[in-house]
Amino acid sequence: MDKIALIRSEEGCAHSDLPLQEVKKLMITEDSASRLAELFKALGDPTRIKLIGALLHRELCVHDLAALLDMGQSAVSHQLRYLRNMRMVKRRKSGKTVFYSLDDSHIEQIFLQTLQHLEHS
């Protein structure tokens, strides 16, 4: 008896005839679940959300982001480094200035879809 069937028989589920093995085969992998959780963890900080929100509109340098968020450049740089490691933002160097933008359209879509979900009543 497989693990799902054993658990179902112990708990006496009223829907024990549903094909859970088929669903189990279609479920997200452990690796993907961990990576997705890390992405949402990155979005779990208000400062990082504000940075992404600002970068939705245009590419910005650390100085401009610090001014927009009323934060020190060091703190902003720290958060940008985290977002860059998560592949949520990318940087472009022009002389001594580093400009940041969203890594790709998926980040924008995740952000905007989540915002729409929150505003949906």
Side-chain angles (χ1 to χ4, degrees), residues 24 26-40 86-87:
K24 187 161 181 77
L26 299 171
M27 286 176 57
I28 190 170
T29 65
E30 275 299 317
D31 180 57
S32 292
S34 293
R35 291 172 47 213
L36 189 59
E38 285 296 317
L39 176 95
F40 282 110
M86 294 296 300
R87 295 181 37 223

Side-chain angles (χ1 to χ4, degrees), residues 27-78:
M27 286 176 57
I28 190 170
T29 65
E30 275 299 317
D31 180 57
S32 292
S34 293
R35 291 172 47 213
L36 189 59
E38 285 296 317
L39 176 95
F40 282 110
K41 180 181 170 185
L43 294 172
D45 181 89
T47 298
R48 292 191 288 263
I49 292 295
K50 290 177 187 177
L51 287 168
I52 292 170
L55 294 172
L56 278 173
H57 304 289
R58 68 173 347 132
E59 178 183 69
L60 295 164
C61 67
V62 174
H63 175 78
D64 291 340
L65 287 163
L68 285 169
L69 274 67
D70 194 26
M71 292 177 64
Q73 288 187 31
S74 175
V76 168
S77 291
H78 174 75

Side-chain angles (χ1 to χ4, degrees), residues 47-110:
T47 298
R48 292 191 288 263
I49 292 295
K50 290 177 187 177
L51 287 168
I52 292 170
L55 294 172
L56 278 173
H57 304 289
R58 68 173 347 132
E59 178 183 69
L60 295 164
C61 67
V62 174
H63 175 78
D64 291 340
L65 287 163
L68 285 169
L69 274 67
D70 194 26
M71 292 177 64
Q73 288 187 31
S74 175
V76 168
S77 291
H78 174 75
Q79 296 298 339
L80 287 167
R81 185 171 31 260
Y82 183 89
L83 291 171
R84 204 175 86 231
N85 289 340
M86 294 296 300
R87 295 181 37 223
M88 298 177 81
V89 301
K90 61 185 175 185
R91 65 183 183 172
R92 176 184 66 83
K93 204 165 188 177
S94 178
K96 292 184 177 185
T97 306
V98 179
F99 291 93
Y100 287 85
S101 60
L102 298 181
D103 189 71
D104 62 30
S105 65
H106 297 115
I107 303 304
E108 179 179 357
Q109 292 170 16
I110 291 165

